[in-house]
Every structure is written in C-alpha cells, then in structure tokens.
C-alpha cells in the first residue's frame, strides 16, 4: 500500500480565513497532502462558539479545521505580525475570505505580501464580490440562499420558497474556492505567473445552480418550487409506499423511463401520448405523478426498490445518520470517518471524496488543538523550506490549462459540468458521445436550438464527436484520441465492456502521463458500486431531504441540482491535484470520485454535530426537526435578517417597537433572555418566528428592510433568478455573458487570465 502523502505533498498553505469557506478549503488542501498553517487571533475566531458544542468547543469549528497546524497570533503586536509575515513569505498559497479591503487594512493584502514573496498565490473569497453596492454586506449562509434565488426554487409545489436548514453554501463555496486555488497553483507551476485569484460566496451560489440559471437565461423559463420534483425530467419524485416510507425515484433518460414502466407494471404508459417523450412527461407531470402515487401505495418501499434496482432505475431510501453509520456502502467506501482529540472527544466527519492510485490523500484523525502550534509558527514556520517552482517568474497571465487535452466520455449532469469548468480554464475538451448523442439533450426545458438548456450550457467550448465504442472502427478512433490525451474522463461501471477494454493499467502502458478520471454515483466499492444515481436519489441517501419541509410531510429536495454541480466541483479539485503532481514528477494516475462521496463530505458539519454534542442546541442538531423556514415574511415577500455586532439590546428594543411587537415580545421570558438569538440563525429563531411573522406581514419588504438597515441588522430579500439577471451586484461579478447564441453563465472566478471566448455547441 502506498504511503499517504497526497498529490499536494510539499505545498505550503497559510490560511487566515474565518468561519467555513476559507478554513474548509484549507482542510481539503490538507487532505490532499499540503502543509497547512491556520492562523487566527489568540482569542479565536467566531466559529468556535457556534452551537452545537462538544466538550465546550464548536463541532463546526473542529470539523472544518482538520489536517492543519493551528496558531494564535496577535498581528497588532510586533512578534505576532512578524511571525505572520514570515509564514506568508514561505507559503505557496494564502487563503482569506474577509470582506473586500480587510486584508489590506490589517497589513496582509496582496500587494504587500507579493513584494516579499512573488511566488505566492493569493486567494480571496468575499461575500458578494470585491466591488458593487453590496460588497460590504455580511453574507451568512441564509443570506446567500435567499438572495441567490436558491430558496426561490426550493419548497412545496405552489408554495413559497424556503431555506435549506443545513449550511450548504458554506462548504460548497469552499469546494469551488479550492478549485480556483488549484488553478492559481497550476498556472504558477506551468507558466511562472503567481497572482491574485478571486471568487465570492454569491458567485459560488450561482455556480451551484448553473443549470437552473441556464434554464432562465437560455430557455426563458422561471424557476419554481416543485417539492421533490425536478424541472428537467419526470418521473423524478419521492413516492409514498404501503409501509408509509417514501422512495426517491428518477428517470433521467428514455431508457430509464422504459425500464421503469416495465419493472413496475405500467407498460401502457410508454404508449400514452401524454408521456412519450421527457418533454411530454414534464408538461403532464401532475397526471403522471398521480398515476404513480396510486400505484406505489399498493406495495412497500422495499419491493419497489428491489425491482427498480434490477431494472437499473435510480432509486433510494430517505436515510438518516443512524442508517448511514452502519450502511455497507458507506463502510466499504469510508464515507464516514471518526476523528478524535483529547480536547474534544471523538466525532464523525465525511470521508475522502476521492481516491488516487499513486498519491493517496489522508484525513488526519487527530483533531488540532486551537492555538497548539503557536510557538512553532513564531519560531520555526513551515517544515518544508524549499521555494523552487517549475517555471521562471513571469508577469504574463496564461490560461492554467492551456494545451491540456481532455477526452470526456461522460453524459448528463456532473461529468459535462466538470469538463465545462476545465474548458473555462483553457483546456481543449473533446467530448465523445454515443451515436445519437448525450441523453441530456432530451431534458427540459428546451431552448430554441431544440436541446435542453443544460446541454447547451454545459457543453459549449468543446469539440463534440459521436463514436460507437462497441465497434472495431469506433474503438480505433477512440484510441487515437486518448493516445496523446492528458486527461480521460469516464463514468463506466466496473462491469461494463468499456471498463474492461480501457482498463487503467492498459492505458498507462501506452500513455504513462495520463490522468484517468472515473466518476460513479455511489462509490467505486460496495454493493451499490454499479448502481445508477441521480441528484434526487443522492440527496435522499445523504440525508439532505431531512433539512427541508416539515417532519412527517412529503419530502422536499433542494431545487437546484446541487449534487451534480458540487460533484463536478469536487472532482475538479481532484483532477487539478493530479495534474499538479504530474507537473512535479511526470507521473499520471487513476483518480476516482463519486456523487455520494461528495455529499457525505459536504455534510461533515452535520455528522460532527450529531455525533456526541454537549446539548441538543444549534442548527446542526435541530435542522431535521425545526420545520420549514421561510425567513421573515412580510406583506409582499420574505426576507432574511440576522443581528450584526452593532445591534445592542437597547437598539433591539427600539427596533421592535417600530415593528409594533414590543409588548408581546416582552411577555415571553425566554425570548427576553435570548433577544439576540430571537431571529436569524439564533437558537430561539424558530420559537420566535410566528411572532415576527405576525407583525412583519403588516408591512412591505421595503419598509421592513429600511428599519432593519437603520438598526444595522444584516438583511436581504428573497430573490429569484430572473430578478438577479439585471441586479447591479450580479453585474459586478461579470458572470453573465451575452452572446448572439444566448446569455451564458461563466465560471465563478475573477482572475488575470480571464475566460476563453464563448464557442457555442454546433447544431
């Protein structure tokens, strides 16, 4: 067994970020072998006090700061600042996620540090972007869910949009941020240009929803909550069965639809003109779901799952943490890992979402003690003292993946979105589709080009060819493509003919530098390794459905296809890490990633909070039972508000007098004692929500926001994607680019190298 040094062995990372986005991006780099120093003020950052606690320390803090050395430095004093500057001088990467201008203000800005370390990749992730009218606003998780439009497409059918009660955009923002950091490192190693790379929480939220945004931009549709349904395919829903359990079922393509009808005994539906094609089924979704609901209630969920699995139709039970702890698929893929520390005790985190054949990553199961490496930071710095890079320094930016050839055989959502991001960084992508094309062309909604918005968006800037890999001619054509490829992407099951013909060892013999990337739904080992998956079924299995809607009611899914986009972003990190290792050694390798592994890793905050908390307090304990969260309702739309540090108790009571709720509020002793926690993400917010709704619904959102802003409360309105198209803050992100073929969403980063010119899919 190879020593677990990771593909980033030798890379030095200085993390001065706070909360989750910066620290967890650093943790992922640490998993991949980088040497990471986390530096925070001696008193610690805010996240340490967030509930739930285990042994009086926040589980969110402990679980998102693994594989790091921890130091507490007072940069207002000479010793602390000197130590920080010395670390920055030695580092390859600096990570910060402050508001724009804060790093400069504390003496740790890009210009200052770049002078002493011209090889430093300086990485920033702000809240709403580094410019624009909202650049200085706080961007807590619910603010971004509300403002980005994600909440607007999540909720009960025909009802208001609602918040995901799990902190989704923070860890996924870290994933997209980490991928951008890797691009900066790759550009430096290949072209000698070390620079400042930027992203934002808002940009990453939009990237989470790329195909939903594309439905608005390219197909002129407006998103809406669909309960557990999907805007792209049908049937795609959670159905109640005879045993009073819901089963998540998806038919993403025509083969799955035919197999579904045959397996469940509804063959007549394949001839019904209402349901012939996917677009027909979407247009007649209610009738179709009604038929299936009546059918599924007649037998237990176990029966339906058995026959659908045999028919290769994606399905999954709605699982909880207790189910997952002992689930064979989770155990065989190590998707839950127990970490431990004397100061915390043991708890679970999501396991590694990738496998590398030559450079295995590793989760250090020893939890860092906050500030435990302060003396080392002051007196020693990084262990690795080498400062060499592969190329001479240059002032000229280049696309990081310029002249990198990618052969992509994947279809649908995750794989094409991954190769889309590679193309956005300058890679030459050849997409190999089967005869007849990628099945995602038939998804809904359709554009005026006669294909789905998803296909048109995800497959631009690629050379697309159709090859029959089951013929001798097709195999010869394919082999000529991959003989000089840098990266091969596939999603073949290990019992497929393709996986046997194009085994990695055989490919390596002909192309030793090849990075062979394999994507699966449920992981590359275990009883479900060859089972097809979907966004809905992975959301169900990873407990996502439990953090929306109400206990005992029909499940709700995240309206955006977050499993697919986040899997692509997590896989992006893996491919770039393998490429970095190849630059250093010339060695290629096999890299595996999965949809379930990605979502299990993202839910680290949940698993750590559930493990053994001191009390059942805080979002990561209560989010499965708190009920639907619509923010604060007003007369015309919902908003989300949370107190800023400037809100004093005196100002709070002045504010609620303006809302007219003071007299009723002070009658509740529990709320009076916990006034700070009575709204936003506070521990008493759900208890106080009916009271806020009673009074705020008498006012318009504009009136409510005006009062909140005067009292320095952080608040935003719930937006929809259509409204964001022309919002001034989104314009500053430069993510929407108009082309004669339509408006496209670009990748979520701002860099000196920019983007390649849009090259639409040829029809």
């Amino acid at each position: 067994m190879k020593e677990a040094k990771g593909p980033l062995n030798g890379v030095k990372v200085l993390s001065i970020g706070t909360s989750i986005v910066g620290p967890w991006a650093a943790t992922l780099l640490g998993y991949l072998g980088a040497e990471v120093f986390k530096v925070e003020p001696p008193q610690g950052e805010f996240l340490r006090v967030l509930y739930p606690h285990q042994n009086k320390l926040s589980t969110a803090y402990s679980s998102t700061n693994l594989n790091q050395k921890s130091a507490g430095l007072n940069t207002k004093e000479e010793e602390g600042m000197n130590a920080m500057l010395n670390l920055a001088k030695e580092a390859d990467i600096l990570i910060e996620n402050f508001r724009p201008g804060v790093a400069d203000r504390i003496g740790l800005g890009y210009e200052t540090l770049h002078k002493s370390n011209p090889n430093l990749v300086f990485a920033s992730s702000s809240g709403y972007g580094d410019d624009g009218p909202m650049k200085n606003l706080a961007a807590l998780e619910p603010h971004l869910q509300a403002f980005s439009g994600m909440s607007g497409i999540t909720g009960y059918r025909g009802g208001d949009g609602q918040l995901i009660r799990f902190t989704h955009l923070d860890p996924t923002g870290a994933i997209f941020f980490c991928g951008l950091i890797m691009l900066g490192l790759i550009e430096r190693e290949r072209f000698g240009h070390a620079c400042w790379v930027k992203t934002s929480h808002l940009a990453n939220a939009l990237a989470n929803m790329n195909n939903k945004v594309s439905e608005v931009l390219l197909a002129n549709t407006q998103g809406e909550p669909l309960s557990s349904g999907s805007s792209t395919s049908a049937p795609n829903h959670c159905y109640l069965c005879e045993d009073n359990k819901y089963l998540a079922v998806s038919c993403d393509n025509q083969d799955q639809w035919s197999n579904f009808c045959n397996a469940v005994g509804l063959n007549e539906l394949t001839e019904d003109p209402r349901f012939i094609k996917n677009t027909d089924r979407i247009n007649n979704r209610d009738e179709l779901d009604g038929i299936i609901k009546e059918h599924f209630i007649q037998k237990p969920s176990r029966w339906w799952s058995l026959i659908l699995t045999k028919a290769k139709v994606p399905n999954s039970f709605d699982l909880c943490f207790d189910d997952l702890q002992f689930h064979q698929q989770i155990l065989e893929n190590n998707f839950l890992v127990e970490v431990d520390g004397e100061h915390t005790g043991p708890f679970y985190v999501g396991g590694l979402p990738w496998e590398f054949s030559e450079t295995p990553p590793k989760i250090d199961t020893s939890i860092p003690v906050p500030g435990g490496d302060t003396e080392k930071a002051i007196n020693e710095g990084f262990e690795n003292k080498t400062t060499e890079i592969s190329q001479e320094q240059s002032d000229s930016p280049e696309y990081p993946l310029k002249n990198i050839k990618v052969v992509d055989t994947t279809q649908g959502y995750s794989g094409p979105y991954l190769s889309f991001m590679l193309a956005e960084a300058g890679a030459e992508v050849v997409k190999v589709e089967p005869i007849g094309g990628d099945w995602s062309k038939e998804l809904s909604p359709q554009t005026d080009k006669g294909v789905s918005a998803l296909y048109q968006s995800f497959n631009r800037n690629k050379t697309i060819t159709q090859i029959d890999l089951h013929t001798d001619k097709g195999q010869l054509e394919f082999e000529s493509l991959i003989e000089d490829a840098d990266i091969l992407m596939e999603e073949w099951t290990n019992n497929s003919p393709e996986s046997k013909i194009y085994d990695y060892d055989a490919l390596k013999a002909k192309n030793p530098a090849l990075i062979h990337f394999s994507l699966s739904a449920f992981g590359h080992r275990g009883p479900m390794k060859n089972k097809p998956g979907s966004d809905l079924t992975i959301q169900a299995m990873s407990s996502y459905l439990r953090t929306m809607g109400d206990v005992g009611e029909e499940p709700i899914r995240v309206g955006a296809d977050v499993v697919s986009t986040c899997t692509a972003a997590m896989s992006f990190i893996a491919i770039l890490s393998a490429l970095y290792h190849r630059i250093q050694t010339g060695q290629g390798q096999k890299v595996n990633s999965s949809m379930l592994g990605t979502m299990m890793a993202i839910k680290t905050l949940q698993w750590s909070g559930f493990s053994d908390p001191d009390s059942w307090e805080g979002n990561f304990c209560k989010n499965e039972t708190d009920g639907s969260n619509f923010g604060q309702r007003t007369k015309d739309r919902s908003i989300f508000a949370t107190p800023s540090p400037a809100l004093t108790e005196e100002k709070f009571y002045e504010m609620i007098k303006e809302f007219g709720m003071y007299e009723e509020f002070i009658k509740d002793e529990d709320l009076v004692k916990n006034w700070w926690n009575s709204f936003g993400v506070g521990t008493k917010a759900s208890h106080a929500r009916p009271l806020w709704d009673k009074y705020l619904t008498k006012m318009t959102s504009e009136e409510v926001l005006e009062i909140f802003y005067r009292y320095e409360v952080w608040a935003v309105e719930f937006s929809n994607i259509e409204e964001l198209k022309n919002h001034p803050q989104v314009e500053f992100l430069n993510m929407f680019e108009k082309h004669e073929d339509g408006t496209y969403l670009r990748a979520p980063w701002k860099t000196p190298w920019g983007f390649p010119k849009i090259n639409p899919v040829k029809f």
Side-chain angles (χ1 to χ4, degrees), residues 529-547:
K529 63 186 176 184
N530 292 322
K531 185 175 177 178
S534 69
D535 218 279
L536 175 63
T537 58
I538 302 294
Q539 285 192 37
M541 186 163 178
S542 59
S543 292
Y544 253 75
L545 305 185
R546 294 171 173 265
T547 59

Side-chain angles (χ1 to χ4, degrees), residues 160-174:
D160 292 337
Q162 59 178 267
L163 298 166
I164 309 164
R165 298 189 298 274
F166 172 68
T167 302
H168 170 80
L169 290 177
D170 282 341
T172 60

Side-chain angles (χ1 to χ4, degrees), residues 148-223:
S148 68
M150 180 171 281
S151 294
I153 54 175
T154 300
Y156 290 110
R157 182 88 184 271
D160 292 337
Q162 59 178 267
L163 298 166
I164 309 164
R165 298 189 298 274
F166 172 68
T167 302
H168 170 80
L169 290 177
D170 282 341
T172 60
I175 295 170
F176 281 96
F177 189 23
C178 188
L180 172 59
I181 292 166
M182 285 304 307
L183 284 180
L185 185 63
I186 294 290
E187 193 218 9
R188 188 195 76 173
E189 293 299 302
R190 296 188 70 214
F191 304 109
H193 182 250
C195 66
W196 188 359
V197 294
K198 305 174 187 178
T199 186
S200 68
H201 224 21
L202 177 56
N204 291 325
L206 293 173
N208 259 268
M209 304 188 293
N210 191 306
N211 70 305
K212 298 304 174 189
V213 175
S214 297
E215 290 173 12
V216 174
L217 298 179
L218 296 173
N220 199 31
T221 61
Q222 180 57 61

Side-chain angles (χ1 to χ4, degrees), residues 461-480:
N461 288 67
K462 302 176 185 179
T463 300
I464 299 176
T465 184
Q466 294 187 7
I467 298 177
D468 186 351
L469 292 180
H470 300 111
T471 66
D472 292 341
K473 179 184 176 183
Q475 290 172 14
L476 286 172
E477 188 177 351
F478 182 67
E479 286 162 14
S480 70

Side-chain angles (χ1 to χ4, degrees), residues 590-661:
K590 177 77 178 294
V591 179
N592 295 335
S593 186
S594 71
M595 298 164 74
L596 180 59
T598 293
M599 301 315 287
M600 290 295 293
I602 287 171
K603 290 209 71 177
T604 281
L605 293 153
Q606 189 83 39
W607 314 141
S608 60
F610 265 20
S611 295
D612 188 19
D614 297 339
S615 62
W616 204 253
E617 292 290 340
N619 175 262
F620 304 119
C621 284
K622 293 185 173 182
N623 61 10
E624 291 192 358
T625 54
D626 259 353
S628 296
N629 187 344
F630 304 99
Q632 287 88 17
R633 294 181 186 270
T634 70
K635 186 183 291 186
D636 55 339
R637 68 164 67 195
S638 292
I639 62 172
F640 184 83
T642 193
S644 79
L647 183 66
T648 64
E649 186 173 5
E650 181 182 1
K651 286 184 177 180
F652 173 79
Y653 284 114
E654 288 179 16
M655 180 181 73
I656 64 173
K657 284 178 181 177
E658 290 200 45
F659 289 134
M661 58 189 284

Side-chain angles (χ1 to χ4, degrees), residues 65-82:
N65 287 284
L66 299 175
N67 283 58
Q68 303 179 32
K69 298 167 184 171
S70 176
L73 298 178
N74 184 355
T75 55
K76 294 180 180 179
E77 295 181 354
E78 185 177 0
E79 182 184 50
M81 181 54 106
N82 286 341

Side-chain angles (χ1 to χ4, degrees), residues 245-317:
K245 292 181 179 179
Y246 283 91
L247 187 70
V249 180
S250 298
C251 293
D252 280 333
N253 58 56
Q254 202 66 14
D255 285 344
Q256 290 174 353
W257 165 243
S258 299
N259 292 346
F260 169 84
C261 292
N262 182 56
V264 303
L266 291 172
N267 281 313
E268 67 275 11
L269 297 185
T270 62
E271 303 298 326
D272 191 316
R274 296 173 297 173
F275 311 131
I276 299 294
K277 297 184 299 183
N278 180 61
T279 50
D280 299 325
R281 296 191 289 276
I282 286 289
N283 291 335
N284 297 285
R285 179 204 313 274
D286 292 340
E287 294 94 324
L288 178 60
D289 281 340
I291 293 168
I292 297 173
K293 285 177 181 178
E294 288 184 7
H295 196 63
F296 267 54
I297 199 67
Q298 298 175 28
K299 286 189 172 63
S301 57
R302 173 66 180 163
W303 169 252
W304 297 123
S305 180
L306 280 171
I307 62 173
L308 290 176
T309 298
K310 290 176 184 176
K312 298 182 179 180
V313 175
N315 70 92
S316 177
F317 297 98

